[in-house]
Amino acid sequence: MTAGSAAALVADDVRLMAAAIALGDAARGTTWPNPAVGALVVRVEDGRPVIVGRGWTQAGGRPHAEPGALAMAGAAARGATLYVSLEPCAHFGKTPPCTEAIIQAGIARVVAAVGDPDPRTAGAGFAKLEAAGIEVVRDVLRAEGERSHAGHIRRVRDGRPHVMLKLAVSADGKAGLAGPHPAAITSEAARARVHMLRALNDAIMVGIGTALADDPELTCRLPGLAARSPVRVVLDPALKLPLSSRLVATAGTVPLWLIAGADADVDRDRALTMAGAEVMRVGRGADGRLDLAEVLRLLALRGITRLMVEGGPTLAAALLGADLVDEAVVFGSNVVLGDDALPALAGLPLTALTAAPALKTIERVAVGADTMTVSRRI
């Protein structure tokens, strides 16, 4: 292989891996407890790469991406390259391992973005492919692959979901009106972006204060994406959520999980359960509040890999104080709410988030009349 052809191959690998990652990302929020993987089968025809098969993890986590791409490619998969955003699984579960399907299809080369930390695969997928004589190229767009699979990686390694904190903040650093009462802070464009974020997460969580003050639905209300609404989670220590709330009214359509303290009233538990909610219980910390680490462990055990937190100021501050925020999305507005309004972070200055040493700003863009700032864990 000449230096020129080698450089062209590397460039093609990067470009096609980016496409495979994007394919998987589009399924985020629908595949839990499994990662949202993207895969492409590519042949070289007349010196140019041609995609002959595409696949992505299906709703509920199966089928996996690789069998879908291989099935689309058919006989054209023999001698081709498979681009996949995560190391192919090597273990038998509800379906045979993807490594077996890849070997049987006659794939000659596998290019992967990131290894799978799941101990059932963790390097074994690559090893099986290489033992079968398949060339394996690792770590192509590794950083992008780790971002794409942040929820899966966090759940496997740390036993909790990837936590994304979303805040809407006024020009004077406030999040709502005294009372508390909700306030229109951001533009319609920013609200549409929030609904898209909901569609890309497995679950959305609020505290009972926000649930009582706002009476939200917490669904995805973008046209055609209602089915992508995440599981709604309310931290409700004493089970105060009214049976008449919008959350309970829609529990038969979109799952509603209430996380209560061990001492919450049994009759309230029964009434909310009969109304369609699912009640779970966790212990309390030394401060008397629900143990957030235990909450996140419980959600991970239930299969949640990506958790979006929308409020309110008390919950946001508690997660930040416990170093449980992996990503922050802050929509900044020009609206001024005044001195009596509620701060975005209860008991903390906004700089506790915007200047948090564990988070690095990676994006700042205009969204309508507002500014969206995205920070991620370093």
Side-chain angles (χ1 to χ4, degrees), residues 265-277:
D265 184 77
V266 174
D267 289 336
R268 287 291 300 163
D269 186 327
R270 186 180 299 112
L272 287 161
T273 299
M274 290 182 64

Side-chain angles (χ1 to χ4, degrees), residues 141-223:
L141 293 184
R142 177 173 176 172
E144 289 81 352
E146 289 177 341
R147 173 200 55 76
S148 178
H149 297 297
H152 173 66
I153 293 170
R154 183 69 64 190
R155 180 171 178 258
V156 170
R157 289 183 177 170
D158 296 339
R160 67 170 179 83
H162 174 89
V163 175
M164 182 182 74
L165 176 63
K166 169 261 167 183
L167 293 178
V169 182
S170 67
D172 50 347
K174 305 303 174 82
L177 300 175
H181 298 292
I185 296 175
T186 55
S187 65
E188 186 62 35
R191 289 192 287 274
R193 183 68 65 93
V194 170
H195 282 273
M196 180 55 72
L197 291 174
R198 290 178 180 178
L200 295 173
N201 280 273
D202 306 339
I204 181 171
M205 185 167 77
V206 299
I208 185 60
T210 295
L212 293 175
D214 297 0
D215 191 20
E217 286 189 12
L218 301 179
T219 53
C220 177
R221 294 192 292 278
L222 293 178

